[in-house]
Amino acid sequence: MIKVKAIVFGGTDFIGSHAVEQLCLKGHEVTAVVRQSSDTSFLDSLGVRVVKVDFSKAESIGRIIKGHQIVYNCTADANLSTEVNLEAPVELKLTKKIFKEAALNGAERFIQLSSIVVYDFKTNKPINESYCIRPEYPIQELLLKREDVVQEMGKETAMETIILRPASAIGSRDKNSFFSRLFKNHIDNKYPILKNGQTKVSLVDTRDIGRAMEWLGNYKLFTKKHNLFLLKGFDTIWGSLKAAIDEARGTVANVHDLSRIVEENKQLSYALNTFNTNRIWNDEKMRNLGFKIKYSQTESVEHAVRDLIKRNVI
């Protein structure tokens, strides 16, 4: 395997930290670019080069990128729990700035971390990259706009562009993902359930997302200049995920049936829709290129629960 010089923007974030970690484990030369106020203790423990930067200054971004072959953009501000600004500066303006400076400074490949949050709830069937999305929530519109920024700027440059939409993630260093919120519900003895926990869902270990990002950066030859990939680790049901948390904690939590809430809400929130609609992803496109998932549901949940307990995130 050829070693590359990779630069990761957003290296202290939940997924970004795993991208940095997996790049390091593969022996690549890694620079992590973070905000000036970021806690870099984990990155420091990896021994990577950490650069704190004022993201408002394009020239400083360009100087840092120069000499790196692969650019990873894992920056994000908006999430399901925030009020979404459809012109969000991090998701749009900063992405444009990083991409432009990457192109100007000789980067060969740009990898944008996106999310399956972009997908609507119009179908219960497995979804692949060709699915025509009809946004229902502002967060979906924003994430699609960010992807469009990357695709459009990619058409204007010689850089290969890759967008990765990973399934909902389970893993260490979790601050506010769906899993940490479910874990808190479990601790409170109120695990949320709809349809007896039989609704299907695809999930993925954050270590596998990091592995996938490293693999995409090092993959030799794509047939297209612009590429979009889905990624999942395993298919499960919400009831099975509860059983895995029960096992990992050594405690069987009571369930909180959300049926009445659903009946009273014609306009379901994003969170309720995830419990009410099958969310299965078809990621054969990436697997057919040779990428292999490593972590099972049991391994993912045990790893995440141990980390949450260790950090006392309850």
Side-chain angles (χ1 to χ4, degrees):
M1 183 187 73
I2 299 174
K3 302 298 188 290
V4 300
K5 293 187 71 175
I7 185 166
V8 181
F9 288 83
T12 57
D13 293 336
F14 183 35
I15 305 301
S17 70
H18 285 275
V20 173
E21 183 178 29
Q22 294 301 322
L23 284 161
C24 288
L25 289 173
K26 287 291 187 176
H28 300 296
E29 186 177 335
V30 186
T31 299
V33 184
V34 302
R35 295 177 179 86
Q36 292 175 328
S37 59
S38 297
D39 177 2
T40 63
S41 53
F42 174 71
L43 299 178
D44 294 336
S45 74
L46 295 176
V48 302
R49 178 187 178 215
V50 177
V51 179
K52 292 188 175 183
V53 67
D54 181 351
F55 283 125
S56 67
K57 297 179 180 178
E59 63 275 11
S60 62
I61 294 174
R63 284 197 299 270
I64 297 164
I65 291 175
K66 192 173 182 65
H68 293 86
Q69 299 152 281
I70 315 298
V71 177
Y72 293 88
N73 185 26
C74 302
T75 58
D77 265 356
N79 57 57
L80 292 171
S81 61
T82 63
E83 185 174 339
V84 174
N85 169 14
L86 290 180
E87 298 300 324
V90 170
E91 277 69 21
L92 300 182
K93 292 180 183 178
L94 182 57
T95 295
K96 289 178 184 178
K97 194 177 295 183
I98 294 172
F99 195 105
K100 180 179 178 181
E101 293 304 318
L104 289 173
N105 287 278
E108 300 169 9
R109 189 172 289 181
F110 187 94
I111 300 176
Q112 175 65 53
L113 176 66
S114 189
S115 169
I116 53 84
V117 170
V118 299
Y119 289 105
D120 58 52
F121 295 89
K122 304 294 186 183
T123 180
N124 273 283
K125 297 178 180 178
I127 290 175
N128 64 17
E129 292 86 352
S130 65
Y131 179 80
C132 183
I133 301 171
R134 291 166 286 176
E136 300 172 83
Y137 298 92
I139 185 66
Q140 295 169 328
E141 294 181 55
L142 175 60
L143 295 180
L144 286 172
K145 284 180 72 173
R146 183 176 63 185
E147 290 187 4
D148 288 343
V149 163
V150 173
Q151 296 283 28
E152 289 303 314
M153 295 188 76
K155 292 175 183 177
E156 301 170 5
T157 72
M159 266 198 310
E160 287 183 321
T161 59
I162 298 167
I163 294 171
L164 180 65
R165 294 173 180 166
S168 297
I170 301 175
S172 56
R173 300 184 293 283
D174 183 355
K175 297 176 182 176
N176 192 35
S177 83
F178 87 99
F179 187 80
S180 61
R181 294 192 294 273
L182 277 183
F183 183 73
K184 176 63 165 60
N185 294 142
H186 198 281
I187 292 285
D188 292 340
N189 212 24
K190 283 185 170 182
Y191 187 91
I193 284 290
L194 259 178
K195 298 182 178 178
N196 294 318
Q198 296 302 303
T199 306
K200 299 175 183 177
V201 62
S202 298
L203 303 171
V204 65
D205 192 297
T206 43
R207 292 169 293 184
D208 274 328
I209 300 177
R211 290 178 60 249
M213 295 186 78
E214 184 279 330
W215 186 89
L216 288 167
N218 209 48
Y219 186 77
K220 278 300 170 192
L221 184 64
F222 290 105
T223 57
K224 298 179 181 179
K225 181 183 169 187
H226 311 292
N227 296 275
L228 169 66
F229 294 99
L230 273 166
L231 175 71
K232 70 176 178 182
F234 47 87
D235 296 333
T236 187
I237 58 174
W238 291 109
S240 175
L241 185 63
K242 176 191 179 297
I245 300 174
D246 288 341
E247 181 68 23
R249 279 196 65 214
T251 301
V252 178
N254 291 328
V255 300
H256 176 50
D257 192 337
L258 302 175
S259 299
R260 179 170 293 181
I261 299 174
V262 170
E263 290 172 6
E264 295 172 353
N265 287 270
K266 294 181 180 179
Q267 296 256 342
L268 295 181
S269 69
Y270 187 96
L272 285 175
N273 260 319
T274 61
F275 290 114
N276 198 49
T277 309
N278 292 332
R279 302 284 273 169
I280 296 294
W281 317 116
N282 178 351
D283 65 347
E284 287 183 3
K285 179 179 175 181
M286 188 160 168
R287 295 187 190 225
N288 286 342
L289 289 181
F291 181 74
K292 293 181 173 59
I293 289 294
K294 185 174 182 179
Y295 298 100
S296 67
Q297 173 176 277
T298 298
E299 292 169 315
S300 302
V301 171
E302 288 179 347
H303 179 69
V305 167
R306 281 198 304 270
D307 181 71
L308 286 165
I309 292 173
K310 179 181 178 181
R311 293 187 293 120
N312 196 29
V313 181
I314 58 173

